[in-house]
Amino acid sequence: MKHISVASIEAAIKKVDNLDDDGLEKLAETYALAQQTLLGYIMSAPVEYKNEQLEGLLIYYYCLISEAFTQEKVLLNQVTEDEIDAFEEPFFEMLDEYFDKDDEEILNDFTDQPDLIRFMMIEISTEDDDGTSLDDETATQLFIVTSALISLMGKAIKA
C-alpha cells in the first residue's frame, strides 16, 4: 500500500488553510461527491457522539486528509457500505487493544498510514495558533473517527 508522506500532508495543509470560504466550500463539495458513502459514515459520528463541535472538525479533516491523498497522487476506489460494515468490528477491536496497551504500533499496523496517524495525534493534542485546544472527549472522538477515515481511505487506494 502507498503511504501518504509528510510532504503530501504539509502540501495539503498549505492548500486547505489558504483557501477562502468559497474555495473551501468547492473543495469540500468535490471531496464529498468523490466519496459520498464514506463521508456519510464519518458524518454520522457527531450525532452518535452527541457532539456538534465534531461536525465542523470532521469536515475540515475530511478535506485535509482527502487533499493529502490527492497530493500523494493516489487514486481511490469508492468505499462501499459493505466495506464499512466489514471494517467496523476489527477496527473497534484494534482500538480497544490500542487504548488498553497505549501502543502506537497497533494503530499503525492496522491503518498502514503512520504519517497521517502521527499527524492526527499531534493535531488533537496541540493548541491552535489562538491558544485554543480540544477538550479530551472531543479530541478522542475526532481521533477515533479520523483514524477510521484514514484506514478506509488507505484500503481504497487503487493498485
Side-chain angles (χ1 to χ4, degrees):
M1 176 187 303
K2 180 127 173 93
H3 289 153
I4 305 306
S5 67
V6 172
S8 291
I9 297 166
E10 289 172 349
I13 293 167
K14 187 175 181 180
K15 178 177 178 176
V16 172
D17 285 356
N18 287 309
L19 290 172
D20 61 13
D21 288 344
D22 287 343
L24 193 54
E25 192 173 316
K26 285 178 186 166
L27 186 70
E29 189 175 313
T30 298
Y31 287 131
L33 292 171
Q35 290 285 350
Q36 292 179 15
T37 302
L38 179 58
L39 182 59
Y41 173 65
I42 68 160
M43 292 312 293
S44 68
V47 175
E48 287 181 33
Y49 285 126
K50 296 177 178 67
N51 184 343
E52 289 180 23
Q53 182 186 8
L54 203 52
E55 190 173 323
L57 291 166
L58 286 174
I59 292 169
Y60 171 77
Y61 285 106
Y62 175 75
C63 289
L64 189 69
I65 292 166
S66 296
E67 182 60 32
F69 276 79
T70 299
Q71 291 291 328
E72 195 67 40
K73 296 181 180 14
V74 293
L75 298 175
L76 301 178
N77 293 307
Q78 286 290 316
V79 176
T80 66
E81 288 284 344
D82 289 344
E83 289 168 331
I84 291 169
D85 290 344
F87 163 82
E88 282 189 311
E89 188 176 334
F91 177 71
F92 287 112
E93 287 172 0
M94 177 278 302
L95 278 180
D96 287 343
E97 185 180 359
Y98 165 71
F99 285 124
D100 218 26
K101 297 180 180 172
D102 195 28
D103 182 357
E104 196 176 319
E105 278 306 305
I106 294 167
L107 194 57
N108 286 336
D109 288 348
F110 186 87
T111 63
D112 202 26
Q113 290 295 338
D115 291 330
L116 277 170
I117 292 296
R118 200 168 306 111
F119 164 71
M120 285 310 304
M121 287 178 168
I122 293 166
E123 285 292 290
I124 65 165
S125 62
T126 307
E127 287 184 352
D128 284 345
D129 293 338
D130 63 4
T132 59
S133 60
L134 297 173
D135 62 82
D136 287 346
E137 187 175 342
T138 300
T140 300
Q141 293 166 353
L142 178 63
F143 185 70
I144 289 168
V145 178
T146 55
S147 295
L149 172 65
I150 291 165
S151 296
L152 286 162
M153 289 179 80
K155 292 176 189 317
I157 293 174
K158 290 185 178 180

